[in-house]
Coordinates of all heavy atoms in Angstrom, one line a residue:
M1 N 0.8 -1.2 0.0 CA 0.0 0.0 0.0 C 0.9 1.2 0.0 O 1.9 1.3 0.7 CB -0.9 0.0 1.2 CG -1.9 -1.1 1.3 SD -3.2 -0.8 0.2 CE -4.6 -1.5 1.0
K2 N 0.5 2.2 -0.8 CA 1.2 3.5 -0.9 C 0.2 4.6 -0.5 O -1.0 4.5 -0.7 CB 1.8 3.7 -2.2 CG 2.9 2.7 -2.6 CD 3.6 3.2 -3.8 CE 4.8 2.2 -4.1 NZ 5.6 2.7 -5.2
A3 N 0.8 5.7 -0.1 CA 0.0 6.9 0.3 C -0.1 7.8 -0.9 O 0.8 8.2 -1.5 CB 0.7 7.6 1.4
Y4 N -1.4 8.2 -1.2 CA -1.7 9.0 -2.4 C -2.6 10.2 -1.9 O -3.1 10.1 -0.8 CB -2.5 8.2 -3.4 CG -1.7 7.2 -4.1 CD1 -1.7 5.9 -3.7 CD2 -0.9 7.5 -5.2 CE1 -1.0 4.9 -4.3 CE2 -0.2 6.5 -5.9 CZ -0.2 5.2 -5.4 OH 0.5 4.2 -6.1
E5 N -2.8 11.1 -2.8 CA -3.8 12.2 -2.6 C -4.4 12.4 -4.0 O -3.8 12.3 -5.0 CB -3.2 13.4 -2.0 CG -2.2 14.2 -2.9 CD -1.6 15.4 -2.2 OE1 -1.7 15.5 -0.9 OE2 -1.0 16.2 -2.9
I6 N -5.7 12.7 -3.9 CA -6.4 13.1 -5.1 C -7.0 14.5 -4.9 O -7.6 14.7 -3.8 CB -7.5 12.1 -5.6 CG1 -8.2 12.6 -6.8 CG2 -8.5 11.8 -4.4 CD1 -9.2 11.6 -7.4
L7 N -6.8 15.4 -5.8 CA -7.4 16.7 -5.7 C -8.3 16.8 -6.9 O -7.9 16.6 -8.1 CB -6.3 17.8 -5.8 CG -6.9 19.3 -5.8 CD1 -7.5 19.6 -4.5 CD2 -5.7 20.3 -6.1
Y8 N -9.6 17.1 -6.7 CA -10.5 17.2 -7.8 C -11.4 18.4 -7.7 O -11.6 19.0 -6.6 CB -11.4 15.9 -7.9 CG -12.4 15.7 -6.8 CD1 -13.6 16.2 -6.8 CD2 -12.0 14.9 -5.7 CE1 -14.5 15.9 -5.7 CE2 -12.8 14.7 -4.6 CZ -14.1 15.2 -4.7 OH -15.0 15.0 -3.6
I9 N -11.8 18.9 -8.8 CA -12.6 20.1 -8.9 C -14.0 19.7 -9.5 O -14.1 19.1 -10.5 CB -11.9 21.1 -9.9 CG1 -10.5 21.4 -9.4 CG2 -12.7 22.4 -9.9 CD1 -9.7 22.2 -10.4
V10 N -15.0 20.2 -8.8 CA -16.4 20.0 -9.2 C -17.0 21.3 -9.6 O -16.6 22.4 -9.1 CB -17.2 19.4 -8.1 CG1 -18.7 19.2 -8.4 CG2 -16.6 18.0 -7.6
D11 N -17.9 21.3 -10.6 CA -18.6 22.4 -11.1 C -19.3 23.1 -9.8 O -20.0 22.5 -9.1 CB -19.7 22.0 -12.1 CG -20.4 23.2 -12.7 OD1 -20.4 24.3 -12.1 OD2 -21.1 23.0 -13.7
P12 N -19.0 24.4 -9.6 CA -19.5 25.0 -8.4 C -21.1 25.3 -8.4 O -21.7 25.5 -7.4 CB -18.8 26.4 -8.3 CG -18.5 26.7 -9.7 CD -18.2 25.3 -10.4
T13 N -21.7 25.1 -9.6 CA -23.1 25.3 -9.7 C -23.9 24.0 -9.3 O -25.1 24.0 -9.2 CB -23.5 25.7 -11.1 OG1 -23.1 24.7 -12.0 CG2 -23.0 27.1 -11.4
S14 N -23.1 22.9 -9.1 CA -23.7 21.6 -8.7 C -24.3 21.8 -7.2 O -23.7 22.5 -6.4 CB -22.7 20.5 -8.7 OG -22.2 20.3 -9.9
D15 N -25.4 21.1 -7.0 CA -25.9 21.1 -5.6 C -25.1 20.3 -4.7 O -24.2 19.5 -5.1 CB -27.4 20.8 -5.6 CG -27.6 19.3 -6.1 OD1 -26.7 18.7 -6.6 OD2 -28.8 18.9 -5.9
D16 N -25.3 20.4 -3.4 CA -24.6 19.7 -2.4 C -24.7 18.1 -2.5 O -23.8 17.4 -2.2 CB -25.0 20.1 -1.0 CG -24.5 21.5 -0.6 OD1 -23.5 21.9 -1.3 OD2 -25.0 22.1 0.3
K17 N -25.9 17.7 -3.0 CA -26.2 16.3 -3.2 C -25.2 15.7 -4.2 O -24.7 14.6 -4.1 CB -27.6 16.1 -3.6 CG -28.4 15.1 -2.8 CD -29.8 15.0 -3.3 CE -30.7 14.7 -2.2 NZ -32.1 14.4 -2.7
A18 N -25.0 16.4 -5.3 CA -24.2 16.0 -6.4 C -22.7 15.9 -5.9 O -22.0 15.0 -6.3 CB -24.3 16.9 -7.6
K19 N -22.3 17.0 -5.2 CA -20.9 17.0 -4.6 C -20.7 15.9 -3.7 O -19.6 15.2 -3.7 CB -20.7 18.3 -4.0 CG -20.7 19.5 -4.9 CD -20.5 20.8 -4.2 CE -20.7 22.0 -5.2 NZ -20.8 23.3 -4.5
D20 N -21.6 15.6 -2.8 CA -21.5 14.4 -1.9 C -21.5 13.1 -2.6 O -20.8 12.2 -2.2 CB -22.6 14.4 -0.9 CG -22.5 15.6 0.1 OD1 -21.4 16.2 0.2 OD2 -23.6 15.9 0.7
A21 N -22.3 13.0 -3.7 CA -22.3 11.8 -4.5 C -20.9 11.5 -5.2 O -20.5 10.4 -5.2 CB -23.4 11.8 -5.6
V22 N -20.3 12.6 -5.6 CA -18.9 12.4 -6.2 C -17.9 11.9 -5.2 O -17.2 11.0 -5.4 CB -18.4 13.8 -6.8 CG1 -17.0 13.7 -7.2 CG2 -19.3 14.2 -8.0
L23 N -18.0 12.5 -4.0 CA -17.1 12.1 -2.9 C -17.3 10.6 -2.5 O -16.4 9.9 -2.3 CB -17.2 13.0 -1.7 CG -16.3 12.7 -0.5 CD1 -14.9 12.7 -0.9 CD2 -16.6 13.7 0.7
E24 N -18.6 10.3 -2.4 CA -19.0 8.9 -2.0 C -18.4 7.9 -3.1 O -17.9 6.8 -2.7 CB -20.5 8.7 -1.9 CG -21.0 9.3 -0.6 CD -22.5 9.2 -0.5 OE1 -23.1 8.3 -1.1 OE2 -23.1 10.1 0.1
R25 N -18.5 8.3 -4.4 CA -18.1 7.4 -5.4 C -16.6 7.2 -5.4 O -16.1 6.1 -5.6 CB -18.5 8.0 -6.8 CG -18.1 7.2 -8.0 CD -18.8 5.8 -8.0 NE -18.4 5.1 -9.2 CZ -17.9 3.9 -9.3 NH1 -17.7 3.3 -8.1 NH2 -17.6 3.4 -10.4
I26 N -15.9 8.3 -5.1 CA -14.4 8.2 -5.0 C -14.0 7.4 -3.8 O -13.1 6.5 -3.9 CB -13.8 9.6 -4.9 CG1 -13.9 10.3 -6.3 CG2 -12.3 9.6 -4.5 CD1 -13.5 11.7 -6.3
E27 N -14.6 7.6 -2.7 CA -14.3 6.8 -1.5 C -14.6 5.3 -1.7 O -13.8 4.4 -1.3 CB -15.1 7.3 -0.3 CG -14.6 8.6 0.3 CD -15.4 9.1 1.4 OE1 -16.6 8.7 1.6 OE2 -14.8 10.0 2.2
S28 N -15.7 5.0 -2.3 CA -16.1 3.6 -2.6 C -15.1 2.9 -3.5 O -14.8 1.7 -3.4 CB -17.5 3.4 -3.1 OG -17.7 4.0 -4.4
T29 N -14.6 3.7 -4.5 CA -13.7 3.1 -5.5 C -12.3 2.8 -4.8 O -11.7 1.8 -5.0 CB -13.4 4.1 -6.6 OG1 -14.7 4.4 -7.3 CG2 -12.5 3.6 -7.7
I30 N -11.9 3.7 -3.9 CA -10.7 3.5 -3.1 C -10.8 2.3 -2.2 O -9.9 1.4 -2.2 CB -10.4 4.8 -2.3 CG1 -10.0 5.9 -3.2 CG2 -9.3 4.5 -1.3 CD1 -9.9 7.3 -2.5
K31 N -12.0 2.1 -1.5 CA -12.1 1.1 -0.6 C -12.4 -0.3 -1.2 O -12.2 -1.3 -0.6 CB -13.3 1.4 0.4 CG -12.9 2.6 1.3 CD -14.1 3.0 2.1 CE -13.8 4.2 3.0 NZ -14.9 4.7 3.8
Q32 N -12.9 -0.3 -2.5 CA -13.2 -1.6 -3.1 C -12.0 -2.6 -3.3 O -12.2 -3.8 -3.3 CB -14.0 -1.4 -4.4 CG -13.1 -1.1 -5.6 CD -13.9 -0.8 -6.8 OE1 -15.2 -0.8 -6.8 NE2 -13.3 -0.6 -7.9
D33 N -10.8 -2.0 -3.4 CA -9.6 -2.8 -3.6 C -8.8 -2.9 -2.3 O -7.6 -3.1 -2.3 CB -8.8 -2.3 -4.7 CG -9.5 -2.5 -6.1 OD1 -10.2 -3.6 -6.2 OD2 -9.3 -1.7 -7.0
G34 N -9.4 -2.6 -1.1 CA -8.7 -2.7 0.1 C -8.0 -1.4 0.6 O -7.3 -1.4 1.6
G35 N -8.2 -0.3 -0.1 CA -7.6 0.9 0.3 C -8.3 1.6 1.4 O -9.4 1.1 1.8
S36 N -7.8 2.7 1.9 CA -8.5 3.4 3.0 C -8.3 4.9 2.8 O -7.3 5.4 2.3 CB -7.9 3.0 4.4 OG -6.6 3.4 4.5
V37 N -9.4 5.6 3.2 CA -9.4 7.1 3.2 C -8.8 7.6 4.5 O -9.4 7.3 5.5 CB -10.8 7.6 2.9 CG1 -10.8 9.1 2.9 CG2 -11.3 7.1 1.5
D38 N -7.7 8.4 4.4 CA -7.1 8.9 5.6 C -7.8 10.3 6.0 O -8.0 10.5 7.2 CB -5.6 9.2 5.4 CG -4.9 7.8 5.1 OD1 -5.4 6.8 5.5 OD2 -3.9 7.9 4.3
S39 N -8.0 11.1 5.1 CA -8.7 12.4 5.4 C -9.3 13.0 4.2 O -8.9 12.8 3.0 CB -7.7 13.4 6.0 OG -6.7 13.8 5.0
V40 N -10.3 13.9 4.4 CA -11.0 14.6 3.3 C -11.0 16.1 3.7 O -11.4 16.4 4.8 CB -12.5 14.1 3.2 CG1 -13.2 14.9 2.1 CG2 -12.5 12.6 2.8
D41 N -10.5 16.9 2.9 CA -10.4 18.3 3.1 C -11.1 19.1 2.0 O -10.7 19.1 0.9 CB -8.9 18.8 3.2 CG -8.7 20.2 3.7 OD1 -9.7 20.8 4.2 OD2 -7.6 20.7 3.5
K42 N -12.3 19.6 2.4 CA -13.1 20.4 1.4 C -12.6 21.8 1.4 O -12.8 22.5 2.4 CB -14.6 20.3 1.7 CG -15.1 18.9 1.6 CD -16.6 18.8 1.9 CE -17.1 17.4 1.8 NZ -18.5 17.2 2.0
W43 N -12.0 22.3 0.3 CA -11.5 23.6 0.2 C -12.6 24.6 -0.2 O -12.4 25.8 0.1 CB -10.4 23.7 -0.8 CG -9.1 22.9 -0.4 CD1 -8.9 22.2 0.7 CD2 -7.9 22.8 -1.2 NE1 -7.7 21.7 0.7 CE2 -7.0 22.0 -0.4 CE3 -7.6 23.3 -2.4 CZ2 -5.8 21.7 -0.9 CZ3 -6.3 23.0 -2.9 CH2 -5.4 22.2 -2.1
G44 N -13.6 24.2 -0.8 CA -14.7 25.1 -1.2 C -14.4 25.7 -2.5 O -13.6 25.3 -3.3
K45 N -15.2 26.8 -2.8 CA -15.0 27.5 -4.1 C -13.7 28.3 -4.2 O -13.4 29.0 -3.2 CB -16.2 28.4 -4.3 CG -17.5 27.8 -4.7 CD -18.5 28.8 -5.1 CE -19.8 28.2 -5.3 NZ -20.9 29.1 -5.6
R46 N -13.1 28.2 -5.3 CA -11.8 28.9 -5.6 C -11.8 29.3 -7.0 O -12.4 28.6 -7.9 CB -10.6 28.1 -5.3 CG -10.6 27.6 -3.8 CD -9.2 27.6 -3.3 NE -9.2 27.3 -1.9 CZ -8.2 27.2 -1.2 NH1 -7.0 27.5 -1.7 NH2 -8.3 26.9 0.1
E47 N -11.2 30.4 -7.3 CA -11.0 30.8 -8.7 C -10.0 29.9 -9.4 O -9.0 29.6 -8.9 CB -10.6 32.3 -8.7 CG -10.7 32.9 -10.1 CD -10.5 34.4 -10.1 OE1 -10.8 35.0 -9.1 OE2 -10.0 34.9 -11.1
L48 N -10.4 29.5 -10.6 CA -9.5 28.7 -11.4 C -8.4 29.6 -12.1 O -8.6 30.8 -12.3 CB -10.3 28.0 -12.6 CG -11.4 27.1 -12.1 CD1 -12.2 26.6 -13.3 CD2 -10.8 25.9 -11.4
A49 N -7.2 29.0 -12.3 CA -6.1 29.7 -12.9 C -6.5 30.1 -14.4 O -6.1 31.1 -14.9 CB -4.9 28.9 -12.9
Y50 N -7.3 29.3 -15.0 CA -7.8 29.6 -16.4 C -9.2 29.0 -16.5 O -9.6 28.1 -15.8 CB -6.8 29.0 -17.5 CG -6.5 27.5 -17.3 CD1 -7.3 26.6 -17.9 CD2 -5.5 27.1 -16.5 CE1 -7.0 25.2 -17.8 CE2 -5.2 25.8 -16.4 CZ -6.0 24.8 -17.0 OH -5.7 23.5 -16.9
E51 N -9.9 29.5 -17.5 CA -11.3 29.0 -17.7 C -11.3 27.6 -18.2 O -10.6 27.3 -19.2 CB -11.9 30.0 -18.7 CG -13.4 30.0 -18.6 CD -14.1 31.1 -19.4 OE1 -14.2 32.2 -18.9 OE2 -14.4 30.8 -20.6
I52 N -12.2 26.8 -17.6 CA -12.4 25.4 -18.1 C -13.8 25.2 -18.3 O -14.7 25.4 -17.5 CB -11.9 24.4 -17.0 CG1 -10.4 24.6 -16.6 CG2 -12.1 23.0 -17.5 CD1 -10.0 23.8 -15.5
N53 N -14.2 24.8 -19.6 CA -15.6 24.6 -19.9 C -16.5 25.8 -19.6 O -17.6 25.6 -19.0 CB -16.1 23.3 -19.3 CG -15.4 22.1 -19.7 OD1 -14.8 22.0 -20.8 ND2 -15.4 21.1 -18.8
K54 N -16.0 27.0 -19.8 CA -16.6 28.3 -19.5 C -16.9 28.5 -18.0 O -17.8 29.3 -17.7 CB -17.9 28.4 -20.3 CG -17.7 28.3 -21.8 CD -19.0 28.5 -22.6 CE -18.6 28.4 -24.1 NZ -19.8 28.5 -24.9
L55 N -16.1 27.8 -17.2 CA -16.2 28.0 -15.7 C -15.0 28.8 -15.3 O -13.8 28.5 -15.7 CB -16.2 26.7 -15.0 CG -17.4 25.8 -15.2 CD1 -17.2 24.5 -14.5 CD2 -18.7 26.5 -14.7
S56 N -15.2 29.8 -14.4 CA -14.0 30.5 -13.9 C -13.8 30.2 -12.4 O -12.8 30.6 -11.8 CB -14.2 32.0 -14.0 OG -15.4 32.4 -13.4
E57 N -14.7 29.4 -11.8 CA -14.6 28.9 -10.4 C -14.8 27.4 -10.4 O -15.4 26.9 -11.3 CB -15.6 29.6 -9.5 CG -15.4 31.0 -9.2 CD -16.4 31.5 -8.2 OE1 -17.6 31.1 -8.2 OE2 -16.0 32.3 -7.3
G58 N -14.3 26.8 -9.3 CA -14.5 25.4 -9.1 C -14.5 25.1 -7.6 O -14.0 25.9 -6.8
D59 N -15.2 24.0 -7.2 CA -15.3 23.6 -5.9 C -14.2 22.5 -5.6 O -14.3 21.4 -6.2 CB -16.7 23.1 -5.6 CG -17.0 22.9 -4.1 OD1 -16.6 21.9 -3.6 OD2 -17.5 23.8 -3.5
Y60 N -13.2 22.8 -4.9 CA -12.1 21.9 -4.7 C -12.2 21.0 -3.5 O -12.7 21.4 -2.5 CB -10.8 22.7 -4.4 CG -10.2 23.4 -5.6 CD1 -10.9 24.5 -6.2 CD2 -9.0 23.0 -6.2 CE1 -10.3 25.1 -7.3 CE2 -8.4 23.7 -7.3 CZ -9.1 24.7 -7.8 OH -8.6 25.4 -8.9
T61 N -11.8 19.7 -3.6 CA -11.7 18.8 -2.5 C -10.4 18.0 -2.6 O -10.0 17.5 -3.7 CB -12.9 17.8 -2.6 OG1 -14.1 18.5 -2.6 CG2 -12.9 16.9 -1.4
L62 N -9.8 17.8 -1.5 CA -8.5 17.0 -1.4 C -8.8 15.8 -0.5 O -9.3 15.9 0.6 CB -7.4 17.9 -0.8 CG -6.1 17.2 -0.6 CD1 -5.4 16.9 -1.9 CD2 -5.2 18.0 0.3
V63 N -8.4 14.6 -1.1 CA -8.6 13.4 -0.3 C -7.3 12.7 -0.2 O -6.6 12.4 -1.2 CB -9.6 12.4 -1.1 CG1 -9.8 11.1 -0.3 CG2 -11.0 13.1 -1.2
N64 N -6.8 12.4 1.0 CA -5.6 11.7 1.3 C -6.1 10.2 1.5 O -7.0 10.0 2.3 CB -4.9 12.2 2.5 CG -4.3 13.5 2.2 OD1 -3.6 13.7 1.2 ND2 -4.5 14.5 3.1
F65 N -5.4 9.3 0.9 CA -5.7 7.9 1.0 C -4.5 7.0 0.8 O -3.5 7.4 0.3 CB -6.9 7.5 0.0 CG -6.5 7.6 -1.4 CD1 -6.1 6.5 -2.1 CD2 -6.5 8.8 -2.1 CE1 -5.8 6.6 -3.5 CE2 -6.1 8.9 -3.4 CZ -5.8 7.8 -4.1
T66 N -4.7 5.7 1.2 CA -3.7 4.7 0.9 C -4.4 3.6 0.0 O -5.5 3.3 0.2 CB -3.2 4.0 2.2 OG1 -4.3 3.5 3.0 CG2 -2.4 5.0 3.0
A67 N -3.6 3.1 -0.9 CA -4.2 2.1 -1.9 C -3.0 1.4 -2.6 O -1.9 1.8 -2.5 CB -5.1 2.8 -2.9
D68 N -3.4 0.3 -3.2 CA -2.4 -0.4 -4.0 C -2.2 0.4 -5.3 O -3.2 0.9 -5.9 CB -2.9 -1.8 -4.4 CG -2.8 -2.8 -3.3 OD1 -1.8 -2.7 -2.5 OD2 -3.6 -3.7 -3.1
P69 N -1.0 0.4 -5.8 CA -0.7 1.1 -7.1 C -1.6 0.6 -8.3 O -1.9 1.4 -9.1 CB 0.8 0.9 -7.3 CG 1.3 0.6 -6.0 CD 0.3 -0.1 -5.2
Q70 N -2.0 -0.6 -8.3 CA -2.8 -1.2 -9.4 C -4.2 -0.6 -9.4 O -4.8 -0.5 -10.4 CB -2.9 -2.7 -9.3 CG -1.6 -3.4 -9.5 CD -0.7 -3.5 -8.2 OE1 -1.2 -3.2 -7.1 NE2 0.5 -4.0 -8.4
S71 N -4.7 -0.1 -8.2 CA -6.1 0.4 -8.2 C -6.2 1.9 -8.6 O -7.3 2.4 -8.8 CB -6.6 0.2 -6.8 OG -5.9 0.9 -5.8
I72 N -5.1 2.5 -8.8 CA -5.1 3.9 -9.1 C -5.7 4.1 -10.5 O -6.4 5.1 -10.8 CB -3.7 4.5 -9.1 CG1 -3.1 4.5 -7.6 CG2 -3.6 6.0 -9.6 CD1 -4.0 5.1 -6.6
S73 N -5.4 3.2 -11.4 CA -6.0 3.4 -12.8 C -7.5 3.3 -12.8 O -8.2 4.0 -13.5 CB -5.4 2.3 -13.7 OG -5.7 1.0 -13.3
E74 N -8.1 2.5 -11.9 CA -9.5 2.4 -11.8 C -10.1 3.7 -11.2 O -11.1 4.3 -11.7 CB -10.0 1.3 -10.9 CG -11.5 1.2 -10.6 CD -12.3 1.0 -11.9 OE1 -11.8 0.6 -12.9 OE2 -13.5 1.2 -11.8
L75 N -9.4 4.3 -10.2 CA -9.9 5.6 -9.7 C -9.8 6.7 -10.7 O -10.7 7.5 -10.8 CB -9.0 5.9 -8.5 CG -9.3 7.3 -7.8 CD1 -10.8 7.3 -7.2 CD2 -8.3 7.5 -6.6
D76 N -8.7 6.7 -11.5 CA -8.6 7.7 -12.6 C -9.7 7.5 -13.6 O -10.3 8.5 -14.1 CB -7.2 7.5 -13.3 CG -6.9 8.5 -14.3 OD1 -7.1 9.7 -14.0 OD2 -6.6 8.2 -15.4
R77 N -10.0 6.3 -14.0 CA -11.1 6.0 -14.9 C -12.5 6.5 -14.4 O -13.2 7.2 -15.1 CB -11.2 4.5 -15.2 CG -12.3 4.2 -16.3 CD -12.5 2.7 -16.4 NE -13.2 2.2 -15.2 CZ -14.6 2.3 -15.1 NH1 -15.3 2.9 -16.0 NH2 -15.2 1.8 -14.0
V78 N -12.7 6.3 -13.1 CA -14.0 6.7 -12.5 C -14.1 8.3 -12.5 O -15.1 8.8 -12.8 CB -14.1 6.2 -11.0 CG1 -15.2 6.9 -10.2 CG2 -14.3 4.7 -11.0
C79 N -13.0 8.9 -12.3 CA -13.0 10.4 -12.3 C -13.2 11.0 -13.7 O -13.8 12.0 -13.9 CB -11.7 11.0 -11.7 SG -11.6 10.7 -9.9
R80 N -12.6 10.3 -14.7 CA -12.7 10.8 -16.1 C -14.1 10.6 -16.6 O -14.5 11.5 -17.4 CB -11.7 10.0 -17.0 CG -10.3 10.6 -17.0 CD -9.4 10.0 -18.0 NE -8.9 8.7 -17.5 CZ -9.1 7.5 -18.1 NH1 -9.8 7.4 -19.2 NH2 -8.7 6.4 -17.5
I81 N -14.8 9.6 -16.2 CA -16.2 9.4 -16.7 C -17.3 10.1 -16.0 O -18.4 10.2 -16.4 CB -16.6 7.9 -16.8 CG1 -16.6 7.2 -15.5 CG2 -15.6 7.2 -17.8 CD1 -17.1 5.8 -15.5
N82 N -16.9 10.7 -14.8 CA -17.9 11.4 -14.0 C -18.0 12.9 -14.6 O -17.1 13.6 -14.6 CB -17.5 11.5 -12.5 CG -18.5 11.9 -11.6 OD1 -19.3 12.8 -12.0 ND2 -18.6 11.3 -10.4
D83 N -19.2 13.2 -15.0 CA -19.5 14.5 -15.6 C -19.4 15.7 -14.7 O -19.1 16.8 -15.1 CB -20.8 14.5 -16.3 CG -20.9 13.6 -17.5 OD1 -19.8 13.4 -18.1 OD2 -22.0 13.2 -17.9
A84 N -19.6 15.4 -13.4 CA -19.5 16.5 -12.4 C -18.1 16.9 -12.1 O -17.9 18.1 -11.7 CB -20.2 16.1 -11.1
I85 N -17.1 16.1 -12.3 CA -15.7 16.4 -12.1 C -15.1 17.1 -13.3 O -15.1 16.6 -14.4 CB -14.9 15.2 -11.8 CG1 -15.4 14.5 -10.5 CG2 -13.4 15.5 -11.6 CD1 -14.7 13.2 -10.1
V86 N -14.7 18.4 -13.0 CA -14.1 19.2 -14.1 C -12.7 18.8 -14.4 O -12.3 18.6 -15.5 CB -14.2 20.7 -13.7 CG1 -13.5 21.6 -14.8 CG2 -15.6 21.1 -13.5
R87 N -11.9 18.7 -13.3 CA -10.5 18.2 -13.4 C -10.1 17.4 -12.1 O -10.7 17.6 -11.1 CB -9.5 19.4 -13.5 CG -9.5 20.2 -14.7 CD -8.7 19.4 -15.8 NE -8.5 20.2 -17.0 CZ -9.3 20.4 -18.0 NH1 -10.5 19.8 -18.0 NH2 -9.0 21.1 -19.0
H88 N -9.1 16.5 -12.3 CA -8.6 15.8 -11.1 C -7.2 15.5 -11.3 O -6.6 15.5 -12.4 CB -9.4 14.5 -10.9 CG -9.1 13.4 -11.9 ND1 -9.6 13.5 -13.2 CD2 -8.3 12.3 -11.9 CE1 -9.2 12.4 -13.9 NE2 -8.4 11.7 -13.1
M89 N -6.5 15.2 -10.2 CA -5.1 14.9 -10.2 C -4.8 13.9 -9.1 O -5.1 14.3 -7.9 CB -4.2 16.1 -10.1 CG -2.7 15.9 -10.2 SD -1.7 17.3 -10.3 CE -2.1 18.1 -8.8
I90 N -4.2 12.8 -9.4 CA -3.8 11.8 -8.3 C -2.3 11.8 -8.3 O -1.6 11.6 -9.3 CB -4.3 10.4 -8.7 CG1 -5.8 10.5 -8.9 CG2 -3.9 9.4 -7.6 CD1 -6.4 9.2 -9.5
T91 N -1.7 12.0 -7.1 CA -0.3 12.0 -6.9 C 0.1 11.2 -5.6 O -0.7 11.0 -4.7 CB 0.3 13.4 -6.8 OG1 -0.3 14.1 -5.7 CG2 0.1 14.2 -8.0
L92 N 1.4 10.7 -5.6 CA 1.9 10.2 -4.4 C 2.0 11.3 -3.3 O 2.4 12.5 -3.7 CB 3.3 9.6 -4.6 CG 3.4 8.2 -5.1 CD1 4.8 7.8 -5.4 CD2 2.9 7.2 -4.1
R93 N 1.8 11.0 -2.1 CA 1.9 12.1 -1.1 C 3.4 12.4 -0.9 O 4.3 11.5 -1.1 CB 1.3 11.6 0.3 CG -0.2 12.0 0.3 CD -0.7 11.9 1.7 NE -1.4 10.6 1.7 CZ -1.8 10.0 2.9 NH1 -1.5 10.6 4.0 NH2 -2.4 8.9 2.8
A94 N 3.7 13.6 -0.4 CA 5.1 14.0 -0.3 C 6.0 13.1 0.6 O 7.1 12.8 0.2 CB 5.1 15.5 0.2
E95 N 5.4 12.7 1.7 CA 6.2 11.8 2.6 C 6.5 10.5 1.9 O 7.5 9.8 2.2 CB 5.6 11.6 3.9 CG 4.3 10.8 3.9 CD 3.0 11.7 3.8 OE1 3.1 12.9 3.5 OE2 1.9 11.1 3.9
Q96 N 5.7 10.0 1.0 CA 5.8 8.8 0.3 C 6.8 8.9 -0.9 O 7.6 8.0 -1.2 CB 4.5 8.2 -0.2 CG 4.5 6.8 -0.7 CD 4.6 5.8 0.4 OE1 4.2 6.0 1.5 NE2 5.3 4.7 0.0
A97 N 6.8 10.1 -1.5 CA 7.5 10.3 -2.7 C 9.0 10.3 -2.5 O 9.8 10.0 -3.3 CB 7.1 11.5 -3.4
S98 N 9.5 10.7 -1.3 CA 10.9 10.8 -0.9 C 11.5 9.5 -0.6 O 12.7 9.3 -0.6 CB 11.1 11.8 0.2 OG 10.5 11.3 1.4
E99 N 10.7 8.4 -0.4 CA 11.3 7.1 0.0 C 11.7 6.3 -1.3 O 11.3 6.5 -2.3 CB 10.2 6.3 0.7 CG 9.9 6.9 2.0 CD 8.8 6.1 2.7 OE1 8.3 5.1 2.2 OE2 8.4 6.6 3.8

């Protein structure tokens, strides 16, 4: 198991139910292969560095988790097919990357 983080941006016009559904889907995808969610940090609305799909703002969420490296591709696929997610990025956590 390795330590990862995913930062994803949801359309800020989405209602809270849709935002919670995205988070639940990400958590269930992580847990289905034996991973665990360490923390969830909802950053809220922030201005985007550049316009994406005619949006100038996004609702940011950071999730720290541990998972097998083989399950990351499934999490990436789930994020790409979810219409509510504008952008996402999965990386090794800093303390893990230095090892």
Side-chain angles (χ1 to χ4, degrees):
M1 295 284 212
K2 291 190 175 188
Y4 293 94
E5 65 184 18
I6 178 171
L7 178 67
Y8 65 91
I9 305 169
V10 176
D11 183 346
T13 59
S14 300
D15 61 350
D16 288 338
K17 235 183 209 183
K19 292 174 188 173
D20 290 341
V22 169
L23 180 59
E24 285 176 27
R25 179 68 175 123
I26 288 174
E27 287 179 338
S28 68
T29 303
I30 291 168
K31 292 176 183 176
Q32 79 183 5
D33 290 328
S36 64
V37 175
D38 300 330
S39 67
V40 176
D41 189 10
K42 295 181 180 181
W43 293 359
K45 284 186 187 177
R46 300 215 175 181
E47 191 169 331
L48 300 173
Y50 54 90
E51 200 169 274
I52 302 172
N53 299 335
K54 300 184 180 178
L55 295 173
S56 59
E57 285 186 326
D59 194 276
Y60 286 69
T61 304
L62 176 70
V63 179
N64 290 310
F65 65 98
T66 55
D68 282 327
Q70 295 84 8
S71 63
I72 298 302
S73 61
E74 174 63 15
L75 180 59
D76 185 51
R77 186 190 71 79
V78 166
C79 290
R80 277 188 280 120
I81 64 173
N82 193 323
D83 292 334
I85 297 177
V86 177
R87 287 283 191 274
H88 73 282
M89 182 171 63
I90 304 169
T91 58
L92 274 172
R93 275 194 259 166
E95 68 267 8
Q96 188 76 27
S98 64
E99 294 177 2

